[in-house]
Amino acid sequence: MLGSSLRTKLVVYTVLIVLAVAGAIAAISVTLAHRTSAEAYEQHVTDLAKTLGEAVLEPLYELDIKRLRQQTGAALASEGAMRALILDAGTRGLTDGTDDNLLRGQRYADPLLRSAVDCKQWTVLTGGGRIRVAGPVLATADTRLGYVVLEFSTARLDQEWKAHVGRILLLSGFCALFASVAAIVMANRITRPVKRLTDFADSIRQGSRPQDVPDCGRDEIGRLALAFAEVLTHLDRSNSELTELAASLEDKVKERTRAAEAGNKAKSEFLATMSHEIRTPMNGVLGMASLLEETDLDEDQALYARTISDSGEALLEIINEILDFSKIESGKLELRSQPLDLRDLLSGVVRMLEPKAAESRVALRLVYDPALPAGILGDEGRIRQIIVNLVGNAVKFTEEGVVTVKVTGTNLTSQSLYNIAVEDTGIGIPEDKLASVFNAFSQVNSSATRDFGGTGLGLGIACRLAHLMGGEIDVRSELGKGSTFTFSCTFSTVRDSVTG
């Protein structure tokens, strides 16, 4: 029924309702008719028994057995009669209406007769396909001459009940047939406009919309069709406006994308050019400062020269970061692939940064998994740049404690996966700031720049370099307990490359 049409549902539901109502009416009618027939039949048998009691009053008084048998035999001649007994006042049998009279002189014991004896009134008991009636034969109100017992079969009553049921079922069948025909006609009239509207909606869904909404009459379905037509008109208008708006937005997006790309390209070119232009005189300044330090200077002059050199180197580092960032953004940074010893590279970074770490009372350690090969193919300078940035940040943000460079991974057949983790016991990073630490020019908070220095480009450049190598950098941190930055990348081993 879930997938049936509305017409089928209307027909089925209508027929079911008619059958249910007809069945209920038939059941009630049969029940009432049977009850009425049973009561009438019981009354008929009771009247017949009372009539027999009046007829045998005189013969019973005179103990005229012959006349008693005649009266009883007449009662047995009635349709449905099964037994007729005349009993004396002591409930002994006088006659059963037959010539043999087998029950004469025998006491008749029956619950039905006991009730008649005790209550001095006529008693009726129906069951087992029989109707039994027993009652006293009274000479006076207090004098009982005997008793009358009649038994009649209910076969005729059952036949009448079955015939009545047959007529009711036949009538119900005609009603169901008529209801089915009426339901089909009614369902067709009701569902015809619905089907038109449904076919129209299906054609719209399939993309072949007709010109006009079909005529569905002036009732509720007709009003629904008109509302449907108005909705379609509004949808057409809205679709047209949306198409025009989408085209306009697409043109604007393309225009702004071109402008943004041009601006980004101009920015990258400007940064690269300016970095080169600034780095050239800065190298001159650093060279002159180095030469100046080699001359005979007093203590103050040497301090001034050293300050000039340190400041110039810091500025040159910033310029190099900006130049690398602009190259990466413009897609002009090319990676080299050459054999290198990763363990030696990491050891060199640790040795280079140990003095600075010692100044901050930070211990710097390297832990390298001996199962991993040290010889790999990669860009030594860019790998060193990534590690120096990660270790330098760890030392910078660790006031006291340990910074550990831990190398683990998986040794495959021709390649090895390396996980270079830099663990520190520094200030940590708030959880809501973890997602932004790799953004360019971004630091955890504004006070970090004042307290620790830096441009916020280092991690962004390191992350982009890792992506260019096919790897990634992730971070785990807990505020106040430290951070772990892990550079993960797959490198070909030198042995595999040489033998391959």
Side-chain angles (χ1 to χ4, degrees):
M1 288 295 292
L2 292 178
S4 302
S5 64
L6 179 61
R7 175 178 174 275
T8 302
K9 291 178 180 179
L10 281 174
V11 172
V12 172
Y13 291 155
T14 303
V15 172
L16 288 178
I17 291 173
V18 170
L19 288 177
V21 173
I25 294 175
I28 294 172
S29 174
V30 169
T31 302
L32 292 177
H34 181 65
R35 182 181 300 172
T36 302
S37 299
E39 291 176 352
Y41 198 46
E42 289 177 358
Q43 187 62 45
H44 167 70
V45 175
T46 302
D47 292 341
L48 186 60
K50 289 180 180 181
T51 302
L52 179 59
E54 293 174 356
V56 299
L57 177 59
E58 183 178 347
L60 188 60
Y61 181 78
E62 296 175 354
L63 285 178
D64 188 345
I65 302 302
K66 182 177 180 181
R67 290 178 58 191
L68 289 174
R69 185 169 59 250
Q70 291 176 350
Q71 295 293 340
T72 304
L76 283 175
S78 300
E79 182 181 1
M82 297 176 63
R83 176 185 289 182
L85 297 176
I86 304 297
L87 308 176
D88 60 14
T91 68
R92 293 182 179 84
L94 294 177
T95 182
D96 58 3
T98 63
D99 293 337
D100 297 334
N101 200 10
L102 299 177
L103 295 179
R104 182 173 181 178
Q106 297 182 14
R107 184 178 298 277
Y108 185 77
D110 190 279
L112 175 68
L113 183 60
R114 188 178 304 115
S115 176
V117 171
D118 294 339
C119 300
K120 298 181 181 180
Q121 62 183 9
W122 291 90
T123 303
V124 181
L125 183 63
T126 302
R130 297 176 298 168
I131 296 178
R132 296 187 296 161
V133 179
V137 179
L138 300 176
T140 63
D142 296 326
T143 304
R144 281 178 287 187
L145 298 179
Y147 299 93
V148 173
V149 178
L150 278 185
E151 290 186 11
F152 271 68
S153 171
T154 59
R156 183 171 64 86
L157 186 63
D158 294 338
Q159 292 176 355
E160 292 178 356
W161 179 77
K162 291 179 181 179
H164 187 69
V165 170
R167 290 192 297 270
I168 292 296
L169 290 178
L170 183 60
L171 181 61
S172 299
F174 281 119
C175 290
L177 179 61
F178 176 77
S180 300
V181 175
I184 293 174
V185 175
M186 179 181 65
N188 286 334
R189 292 181 61 86
I190 293 176
T191 59
R192 188 179 295 114
V194 176
K195 187 175 184 306
R196 292 174 184 169
L197 192 58
T198 304
D199 292 341
F200 180 75
D202 287 339
S203 65
I204 294 176
R205 180 173 57 85
Q206 295 171 1
S208 58
R209 173 184 168 182
Q211 294 295 326
D212 298 320
V213 177
D215 182 16
C216 297
R218 298 183 180 181
D219 54 7
E220 290 82 357
I221 299 177
R223 292 197 295 271
L224 177 62
L226 293 177
F228 193 60
E230 293 179 3
V231 170
L232 289 177
T233 302
H234 288 300
L235 284 176
D236 288 341
R237 189 181 304 115
S238 299
N239 288 336
S240 178
E241 294 175 355
L242 285 175
T243 302
E244 294 176 0
L245 180 60
S248 175
L249 287 175
E250 187 176 357
D251 293 340
K252 290 181 180 180
V253 168
K254 289 181 180 179
E255 182 180 349
R256 291 183 181 180
T257 302
R258 285 194 295 268
E261 291 175 349
N264 190 49
K265 182 179 179 181
K267 179 190 71 174
S268 300
E269 292 177 353
F270 171 77
L271 288 175
T273 302
M274 289 303 298
S275 298
H276 280 293
E277 295 297 329
I278 295 174
R279 188 165 58 172
T280 301
M282 184 55 60
N283 286 329
V285 171
L286 291 176
M288 292 298 102
S290 178
L291 292 175
L292 183 60
E293 289 180 22
E294 296 177 0
T295 62
D296 294 332
L297 300 174
D298 58 28
E299 186 176 348
D300 290 339
Q301 290 173 336
L303 177 61
Y304 297 154
R306 183 71 257 168
T307 303
I308 293 173
S309 180
D310 291 344
S311 300
E313 288 178 356
L315 182 58
L316 186 61
E317 182 179 353
I318 294 174
I319 293 171
N320 287 333
E321 287 183 348
I322 295 175
L323 181 60
D324 287 340
F325 183 76
S326 63
K327 284 183 178 179
I328 293 173
E329 278 208 332
S330 61
K332 295 181 179 180
L333 184 66
E334 296 181 358
L335 297 177
R336 294 178 296 175
S337 181
Q338 58 186 13
L340 62 99
D341 190 305
L342 182 62
R343 184 186 290 108
D344 289 347
L345 185 151
L346 296 175
S347 299
V349 172
V350 170
R351 286 195 301 271
M352 179 181 67
L353 295 178
E354 270 182 338
K356 183 178 179 181
E359 293 176 2
S360 302
R361 294 176 297 181
V362 175
L364 195 56
R365 298 185 303 184
L366 171 63
V367 180
Y368 196 100
D369 184 358
L372 288 174
I376 63 172
L377 284 178
D379 192 323
E380 182 175 359
R382 296 305 178 183
I383 295 174
R384 179 182 291 107
Q385 184 177 356
I386 293 174
I387 304 303
V388 167
N389 186 280
L390 296 181
V391 177
N393 272 354
V395 172
K396 181 193 302 184
F397 292 101
T398 303
E399 298 179 354
E400 184 177 1
V402 180
V403 173
T404 304
V405 180
K406 184 181 296 184
V407 183
T408 59
T410 304
N411 190 10
L412 305 176
T413 303
S414 60
Q415 295 178 325
S416 294
L417 172 64
Y418 292 84
N419 297 315
I420 305 174
V422 179
E423 303 173 353
D424 65 63
T425 57
I427 61 175
I429 304 171
E431 186 175 357
D432 59 340
K433 300 292 184 180
L434 288 176
S436 62
V437 295
F438 296 109
N439 295 339
F441 306 103
S442 174
Q443 291 196 349
V444 173
N445 52 53
S446 59
S447 64
T449 303
R450 296 194 302 269
D451 296 340
F452 301 100
T455 60
L457 276 175
L459 284 177
I461 293 174
C463 184
R464 286 168 171 77
L465 288 175
H467 287 163
L468 288 176
M469 296 179 187
E472 62 178 1
I473 299 177
D474 60 34
V475 57
R476 294 180 290 105
S477 183
E478 187 173 351
L479 193 62
K481 293 187 177 181
S483 305
T484 300
F485 284 83
T486 304
F487 167 43
S488 301
C489 191
T490 300
F491 295 105
S492 298
T493 61
V494 172
R495 181 183 62 254
D496 291 341
S497 299
V498 172
T499 59

